[in-house]
Amino acid sequence: MTPSDQVSRTKPARILIVDDDRGMCQLLTDLLREDGYEVEVAHDGASAIAKHQALPFDLTITDLMMPRMKGVELVARLREIDGGAVVLLITAFGTIESAVEAMRAGAFHYVTKPFHNDEILIQVKRALEQKTLRDELRRLRTEVHARTRFQNIVGQSQAMQRVFEIIAQVSDLPANVLIEGESGTGKELIARAIHFNSSRAAGPFVPVNCAAIPETLLESELFGYVRGAFTDARKDRRGLFQEASGGILFLDEISEIPLTLQAKLLRILEDKEVRPLGANQGEKVDARVVSASNRNLETLVRDGKFRQDLYYRLNVIRIELPTLRQRSEDIPLLVDHFVRKFAESAKHTVEGIQADALAALKSHDWPGNIRELEHTIERAVLLGKGAMIGLEDLPAQFAARGECELVVGQAVARQLTLRDLEREYIGRVLESSHGNKTEAARILGVDRTTLYRKLEEYKFKD
Ligand SMILES: Nc1ncnc2c1ncn2[C@@H]1O[C@H](COP(=O)(O)OP(=O)(O)OP(=O)(O)O)[C@@H](O)[C@H]1O
Ligand SMILES: [Mg+2]
């Protein structure tokens, strides 16, 4: 492990301050030491780099305008020698353009002078969160590399590791597989992985969405027909079952197969023989069936909507995919995976996600599971502007939640009482609505009577 990987919550974070202005260095040193950080100082870029090389810092805070090496160059050099380095800039008003340039070179954020002490502390906290995230991701990436046999399937959680084990065990068995899981949990991806890892990999993988094909057509699609079997049957046609011979037939949304067809399917699975519509004779087929359902088949069996004997046939091996909420620890890796997948199509460089945006994603419910996450990241990558996806690049509901977390995090760090927090918040909202109580009550989400009572309680002046 390199020293920069040692970001642990038990040890205070190490911060390097770089500024030729000694007064500013002293001010920042005092402020950060008081907040419990370990601080060192360098007065120019060259010695900053030397110090970082000797023992990497968790965060570097640098002034932008310095003689000799400018802040922008320092950012670029630091990131060159340590890809995990996180740099916060302090810039004087009027140098915003160079700050933007430095952000492009990989700086995390900038704070303009003169600043509020709280502002620096909040940004330092965010930057350190970013650092932890980067290191964590780096660690996970190397582990993933060593541990997954299935290239496109991301998942470090125990639940997914279990799924990987099952795939490895069963891929090459002749038995049918049933994959159950909510919509968007990756059922088709898993079915393809089974195919890819089986001795049938060179054979076809034929997906059929049983819900998308009208009931009247499903039978002829699956089993084929001979010429003259019905009015429109002008020539023979092979069914998908026959197409899948030597490979895998993937019956997606199997619960939607009507009961009459279920009986026929069962017979085919038992006899390994398909008889096309209108044919006198059956033909041998050798297709392994992998089926998938987002409805619980056992319940459907109990309710008489799915044949029990067919269920047993399909369910020789069962894989139950976890929902994304059950494995939210996989979200950082999945986000990383999707960022890389879509970054190529973006017009600007996209490297990753900010810690607060990731926290907001982690606390979401994800009813659409991984597919929903994938779309969210695709949109953020393509429509966002910065190198790091921020809360502003996510749908509005995330931004509100993430900001709330940031604010509450600060309150917790300061150990504010509920009363202090409420009083302060009501005061600020009232200020921002210029004393308009109806407006303030609306923002606070309380009725006017409640607001008046609170104002009385906290003795706000009118
Ligand atoms: N573990 C995973 N790692 C990476 N990508 C994943 C993972 N699981 C799913 N995906 C991606 O999420 C999307 C949805 O997956 P898939 O189509 O397999 O889900 P599904 O369970 O079949 O959904 P539905 O029930 O709606 O058909 C796909 O783009 C897939 O590549
Ligand atoms: Mg699917």
Side-chain angles (χ1 to χ4, degrees), residues 296-335:
N296 184 271
L297 283 190
E298 206 169 349
T299 315
L300 294 178
V301 168
R302 218 174 298 136
D303 296 347
K305 301 209 171 82
F306 201 87
R307 289 181 69 113
Q308 188 169 38
D309 42 12
L310 178 61
Y311 173 63
Y312 288 138
R313 270 278 157 193
L314 297 171
N315 185 29
V316 180
I317 294 156
R318 180 158 174 273
I319 299 180
E320 195 180 338
L321 290 184
T323 62
L324 190 51
R325 0 177 225 298
Q326 286 167 334
R327 55 181 189 111
S328 58
E329 69 264 41
D330 282 339
I331 290 181
L333 267 183
L334 283 163
V335 170

Side-chain angles (χ1 to χ4, degrees), residues 17 24-32 61 90 115 120:
I17 296 166
M24 180 57 83
C25 286
Q26 195 55 53
L27 188 146
L28 284 171
T29 305
D30 293 346
L31 179 66
L32 293 172
I61 304 179
I90 298 199
F115 49 76
I120 289 280

Side-chain angles (χ1 to χ4, degrees), residues 413-444:
R414 299 264 176 287
Q415 303 203 328
L416 289 187
T417 64
L418 194 54
R419 216 179 134 77
D420 284 345
L421 191 62
E422 185 174 77
R423 182 180 197 285
E424 188 66 23
Y425 188 56
I426 292 176
R428 293 282 182 98
V429 170
L430 206 55
E431 227 176 270
S432 78
S433 48
H434 308 291
N436 180 338
K437 299 198 183 67
T438 311
E439 175 66 4
R442 188 191 62 75
I443 297 173
L444 292 165

Side-chain angles (χ1 to χ4, degrees), residues 184 186-188 209 250 252-253 292 371:
K187 295 184 293 294
E188 180 153 354
N209 186 338
F250 176 51
D252 202 359
E253 308 215 29
R371 180 176 296 107

Side-chain angles (χ1 to χ4, degrees), residues 232-264:
D232 287 336
R234 299 211 176 82
K235 52 180 183 184
D236 292 2
R237 192 181 147 160
R238 274 159 67 79
L240 296 169
F241 239 106
Q242 292 92 316
E243 299 279 346
S245 208
I248 284 180
L249 180 69
F250 176 51
L251 294 177
D252 202 359
E253 308 215 29
I254 184 91
S255 60
E256 305 311 303
I257 288 197
L259 277 164
T260 48
L261 215 53
Q262 289 180 21
K264 288 190 181 159

